[in-house]
């Protein structure tokens, strides 16, 4: 496979904070439709890597190509428009608005029949809200105030708000934090549904959940990739056991 076939191609990526390399000459390639989980000890550089991909942090050196387009120096909002979606750990939903409204306001302006004028076509938005609400399991909660949802449902709503923008790459930071066992399973099913036609990168610590969802696992340590591959392979890697799984 040539590098142009990957949805995301990261080469020689480095970022330094006051001389400290939080990401050190890192290479990572993501297939279309792949669900990649990034694991590693605290301080390994996992969050910084996602920050670099979405543009929250700028690289010191190296390149990030998304769908073969150079993103490295582009601002965050342009990367969002290009199809890179990022969910942070703390939900940023509008608690006082209904589930429907939360999804509706997340539909990008400037799409649809009247897109050029910045209007939104109601039917198109409604259809998208219905599609996304079904996907995240909240189709019967559209009229509910978002603040009244359970913790898990709030997390799914936020994923839904990202899906309203049709990202081709979705990045999630510890999506099951604070969830019940049932909510964790529903989240696994949701992520596997999402990657039927999108690529997903997840940072996660819960190894049972990682085994459940990962197509491939990237293990980070000290800003570098320590190991990469299917879960069974990295789990058995003595280097990984030594710096991460053994503790
Ligand atoms: P992880 O997500 O794997 O726990 P992080 O990406 O948060 O790791 O952090 C990697 C390293 O980079 C840590 O040592 C952290 O202190 C450092 N770091 C991250 N962001 C900054 C920043 N903005 N300024 C200085 N150091 C930072």
């Amino acid at each position: 496979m040539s590098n142009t076939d990957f949805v995301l191609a990261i080469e020689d990526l480095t970022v330094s904070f006051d001389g400290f390399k939080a990401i050190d000459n890192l290479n990572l390639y993501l297939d279309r439709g792949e669900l990649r989980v990034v694991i590693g000890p605290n301080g390994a550089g996992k969050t910084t890597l996602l920050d670099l991909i979405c543009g929250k942090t700028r690289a010191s050196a190296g390149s990030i190509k998304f769908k073969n387009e150079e993103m490295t120096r582009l601002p965050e909002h342009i990367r969002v428009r290009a199809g890179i979606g990022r969910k942070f750990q703390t939900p940023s939903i509008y608690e006082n608005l209904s589930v429907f409204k939360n999804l509706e306001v997340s539909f990008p302006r400037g799409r649809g029949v009247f897109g050029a004028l910045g209007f939104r076509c109601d039917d198109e938005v409604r259809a998208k809200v219905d599609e996304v609400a079904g996907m995240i399991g909240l189709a019967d909660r559209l009229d509910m105030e978002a603040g009244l949802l359970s913790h898990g449902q709030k997390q799914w709503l936020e994923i839904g708000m990202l899906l309203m923008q049709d990202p081709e790459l979705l990045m999630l930071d510890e999506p099951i934090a604070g969830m019940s066992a049932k909510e964790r399973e529903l989240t696994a099913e949701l992520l596997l549904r999402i990657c039927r036609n999108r690529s997903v990168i997840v940072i996660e610590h819960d190894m049972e959940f990682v085994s459940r969802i990962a197509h491939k696992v990237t293990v980070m340590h000290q800003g570098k990739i320590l190991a990469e591959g299917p879960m069974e392979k990295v789990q058995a890697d003595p280097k990984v056991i030594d710096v991460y799984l053994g503790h």
Side-chain angles (χ1 to χ4, degrees):
M1 191 183 267
S2 85
N3 287 356
T4 56
D5 295 328
F6 297 107
V7 69
L8 185 71
I10 295 178
E11 292 181 332
D12 304 324
L13 190 66
T14 297
V15 68
S16 302
F17 300 115
D18 297 325
F20 167 75
K21 286 184 179 171
I23 296 292
D24 188 1
N25 236 357
L26 182 140
N27 294 283
L28 185 144
Y29 302 95
L30 189 74
D31 284 328
R32 286 169 201 272
E34 183 182 337
L35 199 165
R36 177 77 58 98
V37 182
V38 181
I39 65 171
N42 279 339
K46 304 179 298 293
T47 309
T48 306
L49 175 63
L50 263 50
D51 287 348
L52 286 163
I53 297 169
C54 76
K56 187 170 173 238
T57 299
R58 291 298 170 83
S60 311
S63 117
I64 300 169
K65 285 201 181 109
F66 176 65
K67 295 190 292 175
N68 217 23
E69 300 265 342
E70 188 59 67
M71 294 282 134
T72 324
R73 317 258 159 252
L74 297 181
E76 205 169 352
H77 70 278
I78 303 282
R79 299 192 206 193
V80 170
R81 237 182 272 163
I84 298 178
R86 166 95 185 265
K87 179 190 173 312
F88 295 89
Q89 241 177 318
T90 27
S92 56
I93 59 171
Y94 304 101
E95 300 250 342
N96 297 329
L97 296 183
S98 67
V99 169
F100 180 88
K101 271 284 168 201
N102 269 276
L103 292 173
E104 188 191 37
V105 297
S106 306
F107 191 81
R109 288 194 141 270
R111 285 236 191 119
V113 180
F114 305 108
L117 298 172
F119 293 114
R120 295 176 291 185
C121 169
D122 281 351
D123 289 348
E124 189 191 352
V125 181
R126 177 81 222 194
K128 189 73 190 165
V129 168
D130 286 341
E131 177 202 323
V132 168
M135 182 104 173
I136 59 174
L138 295 179
D140 58 351
R141 297 279 193 282
L142 281 175
D143 296 330
M144 195 168 177
E145 208 173 286
L148 299 175
L149 295 172
S150 71
H151 169 71
Q153 289 170 330
K154 285 182 186 171
Q155 302 289 327
W156 302 329
L157 176 56
E158 207 186 344
I159 292 174
M161 290 162 78
L162 286 170
L163 291 175
M164 287 298 293
Q165 300 170 32
D166 252 334
E168 278 181 58
L169 170 63
L170 199 64
M171 298 191 288
L172 310 165
D173 207 327
E174 299 189 33
I176 56 164
M179 286 189 180
S180 67
K182 172 85 183 151
E183 287 173 333
R184 287 203 293 271
E185 175 51 26
L186 289 170
T187 305
E189 288 167 16
L190 171 60
L191 296 182
L192 291 168
R193 262 199 311 278
I194 289 173
C195 74
R196 278 188 206 146
N197 53 358
R198 300 167 207 281
S199 309
V200 179
I201 303 178
V202 175
I203 296 177
E204 190 48 65
H205 290 290
D206 183 317
M207 287 306 124
E208 206 181 309
F209 187 71
V210 177
S211 304
R212 171 83 176 87
I213 62 167
H215 294 159
K216 247 192 208 177
V217 177
T218 295
V219 189
M220 288 187 66
H221 180 52
Q222 297 179 340
K224 294 177 189 286
I225 293 180
L226 185 69
E228 196 166 80
M231 184 61 173
E232 316 79 68
K233 188 178 147 221
V234 299
Q235 235 172 352
D237 187 325
K239 294 194 300 291
V240 177
I241 295 168
D242 188 34
V243 307
Y244 187 54
L245 296 175
H247 296 282

